[in-house]
Amino acid sequence: MTATRAVLIDLDGTLVDSAPDIAAAVNGMLHEWGRPALPLDTVKGFIGNGVPTLLRRVLACSAIDDGAHDGAYESALRAFERHYAATNGVSGRVYAGVPEGLRALRAAGLLLGCVTNKPGAATGALLARCDLTPFFDVVVAGDSTAFMKPHPAPLLYACRRLGVAPARCVLVGDSTVDVAAAGAAGMPVYIVRYGYPGPGGHARMTGAILIDSLAEMAPLLGP
């Protein structure tokens, strides 16, 4: 078995419970449209595939037809970005075991990368507000490459920047998006039992190793 040299980690739902902040921004945008607020659990189900997919799901759920409302998506995007700049990191919290897990991985000599579908500006702000920035050797955001997860491009780009072959990396995430991306990139995937797993939950996580906390990762990877 090839020794692991780097650990790539998802952000939303894996490192940080960011759904409250995202939901607040979504509902601020919907308020401008005169639409009712969406429940937190509904917004959680839309997280994971990047902002474009999130907003299109919100528009559909709120009966806002992009075809019938000229420029609805572009208007929603501008409003969401404005609201999220104010809510990002306000109510979201780092999950239990994350700081300890990151410190243990660093102490084991492993390189760390954060690979997320969140846009770069929002990613940098959230990592900084949660005091997570210093842990990472590389950060790959949703706008860092031409494709987002589940495409393997962000993971492969992170590997190149770290100078580590994909076979010597693992991904830690929370959703089927992460499972698919890791499979396409040819690396093992560990999935936390919390977060935003998406439709079907963990039952669809074929081939993934389930963990309760990031604090488990260093012992699992061994010396």
Side-chain angles (χ1 to χ4, degrees):
M1 184 175 179
T2 304
T4 300
R5 288 194 54 219
V7 180
L8 309 180
I9 309 172
D10 176 55
L11 177 53
D12 297 310
T14 303
L15 294 172
V16 181
D17 182 9
S18 54
D21 298 332
I22 295 171
V26 163
N27 288 328
M29 178 267 290
L30 289 175
H31 179 74
E32 294 185 15
W33 283 81
R35 292 297 201 275
L38 294 178
L40 175 61
D41 284 345
T42 298
V43 177
K44 279 185 179 181
F46 297 160
I47 296 173
N49 287 88
V51 170
T53 299
L54 168 76
L55 291 184
R56 294 198 184 280
R57 289 171 173 169
V58 168
L59 292 177
C61 184
S62 301
I64 301 172
D65 184 355
D66 195 15
H69 296 76
D70 187 36
Y73 171 78
E74 289 75 13
S75 178
L77 177 61
R78 290 192 296 271
F80 173 80
E81 289 177 337
R82 177 164 31 84
H83 285 285
Y84 193 50
T87 65
N88 187 16
V90 172
S91 298
R93 294 291 180 268
V94 175
Y95 286 106
V98 165
E100 298 88 343
L102 293 174
R103 283 194 289 269
L105 291 168
R106 295 295 303 221
L110 293 162
L111 297 171
L112 298 182
C114 179
V115 183
T116 174
N117 283 345
K118 184 187 291 293
T123 295
L126 183 58
L127 289 173
R129 288 170 186 170
C130 293
D131 297 321
L132 297 177
T133 306
F135 288 109
F136 293 102
D137 301 289
V138 65
V139 175
V140 178
D143 47 9
S144 296
T145 63
F147 301 96
M148 292 187 287
K149 298 178 296 182
H151 196 283
L155 302 185
L156 299 177
Y157 179 58
C159 292
R160 288 196 299 273
R161 290 187 57 187
L162 291 170
V164 179
R168 302 192 70 180
C169 294
V170 301
L171 175 66
V172 183
D174 69 308
S175 73
T176 53
V177 171
D178 295 306
V179 173
M187 63 180 65
V189 59
Y190 294 77
I191 295 293
V192 295
R193 296 182 190 272
Y194 50 83
Y196 323 130
H202 295 108
R204 296 181 58 195
M205 307 287 186
T206 305
I209 302 167
L210 299 182
I211 59 173
D212 292 317
S213 167
L214 195 66
E216 298 176 26
M217 282 304 299
L220 283 174
L221 295 176

